[in-house]
Amino acid sequence: MSIEAQSVLSVGATLGEGPVWVARDAALWFVDIKEHRIHRFDPAGGDARHWTAPAQVGWILPTDDGLFAVGLQTGVHRFDPADGSFVLLHAPEAALPGNRQNDATVAPDGAIWFGSMDDGEAQESGRFYRLYKGLCADSGLPSVSITNGPAVSTDGRTLYHTDTLGKRIWRSSLSEDGAVQETGLFVEIEDGAGYPDGPTMDAEGCLWTGLYGGWTARRYDPAGKMMQEVRFPVSNITKIAFGGPDLRTAYATTARKGLDMTALTAQPLAGDLFAFDPGVAGVPGTIATI
């Protein structure tokens, strides 16, 4: 069955990223990294708001204090939408001012897993971190230029992490305390199909990834076999999130970054928020314990 995504919110994001459904306010939150913006979209009422962050913002996730954790270039901050304030919690890469944060997820145990990257997209300085109950630790995974994800399986024992420029999604086993153990290749994206961006798990244990420059999002089964491909009218698909009251609507952030005027003319919806019917439910979101 052919599925094509439709634009549901015109934002024209330079680099839309990090969509997450927040059940406590029945809204989708996401960011525009390059424009320093945090977005909130209420699909039922159609209301859309945004806040300006003090630096490039890679991700936003709900926390157990009723607020949010956000990954700014300067570190992980607590964000309060009521007054738009940002309070620094951790600065794991204070000595790497050329790096920024890029993507994140909450594991079933409430830990935040997030990645960094070289903002110039050249140096292999991107790392993955785990933040849980006040402790922020390096995962020990190898450095890459552009990290994406991670995503964590529903049982909390498998970590999927992306080397975007290397076109590979890796899979690592996790111990009960979140330590990374054995790592192996999960999927390698073929030439001409774009670059794997943010990964997301669905309720059947399958992984979805946006393909930057590939015009599609894909679904892979636990063995790494492609099961489904969703076509978009724009080329740069960054990440999928499942939302709505039954978690059966897939939302996707997209980007205008890297598109010249000819491409932007051909892709007037580039940077918008899209939605489609994935034919499967997502996983209820976990609130982060920071």
Side-chain angles (χ1 to χ4, degrees):
M1 181 176 63
S2 177
I3 300 174
E4 182 161 326
Q6 304 292 325
S7 173
V8 293
L9 182 65
S10 178
V11 289
T14 300
L15 187 51
E17 183 58 276
V20 59
W21 180 259
V22 179
R24 67 190 182 202
D25 66 351
L28 187 85
W29 293 73
F30 63 102
V31 302
D32 183 346
I33 296 173
K34 292 300 180 182
E35 302 304 323
H36 302 192
R37 283 186 175 179
I38 294 171
H39 290 273
R40 179 189 182 277
F41 174 56
D42 171 8
D47 178 61
R49 296 184 59 193
H50 73 266
W51 293 258
T52 300
Q56 292 188 93
V57 52
W59 52 267
I60 179 167
L61 293 167
T63 52
D64 56 4
D65 58 2
L67 302 179
F68 292 86
V70 298
L72 300 185
Q73 185 164 8
T74 49
V76 178
H77 288 66
R78 177 177 281 110
F79 168 62
D80 186 348
D83 60 8
S85 63
F86 296 82
V87 177
L88 179 65
L89 299 175
H90 299 277
E93 295 189 337
L96 295 172
N99 269 17
R100 65 169 175 81
Q101 295 186 38
N102 194 49
D103 196 9
T105 193
V106 182
D109 64 359
I112 295 178
W113 286 86
F114 65 95
S116 65
M117 61 170 283
D118 172 28
D119 195 35
E121 302 181 9
Q123 303 299 316
E124 292 191 349
S125 56
R127 304 287 297 178
F128 287 102
Y129 298 88
R130 181 177 185 263
L131 170 59
Y132 185 57
K133 294 185 176 180
L135 177 64
C136 186
D138 192 309
S139 67
L141 290 166
S143 297
V144 296
S145 179
I146 301 177
T147 65
N148 259 294
V152 181
S153 61
T154 54
D155 64 2
R157 302 307 296 270
T158 305
L159 182 78
Y160 297 88
H161 45 100
T162 300
D163 171 3
T164 293
L165 290 187
K167 292 187 166 185
R168 294 179 177 93
I169 302 173
W170 298 88
R171 176 168 54 193
S172 299
S173 58
L174 296 176
S175 65
E176 290 187 6
D177 63 358
V180 175
Q181 299 179 309
E182 295 181 2
T183 296
L185 182 64
F186 177 62
V187 167
E188 184 168 7
I189 304 301
E190 71 274 17
D191 289 345
Y195 295 85
D197 211 295
T200 305
M201 306 303 297
D202 66 29
E204 296 180 356
C206 297
L207 182 141
W208 292 76
T209 184
L211 289 174
Y212 203 99
W215 300 83
T216 61
R218 287 180 176 179
R219 184 189 190 216
Y220 290 92
D221 73 10
K225 178 183 177 181
M226 189 176 73
M227 301 178 67
Q228 190 174 348
E229 191 170 69
V230 178
R231 187 76 180 174
F232 285 72
V234 297
S235 60
N236 298 332
I237 321 306
T238 54
K239 191 169 184 177
I240 306 298
F242 293 88
D246 55 2
L247 297 177
R248 297 191 71 90
T249 299
Y251 293 95
T253 45
T254 66
R256 298 165 62 89
K257 183 177 180 293
L259 302 179
D260 60 20
M261 289 306 299
T262 300
L264 288 171
T265 299
Q267 302 177 45
L269 303 179
D272 284 2
L273 179 68
F274 286 77
F276 61 91
D277 179 0
V280 63
V283 179
T286 305
I287 302 299
T289 304
I290 58 171

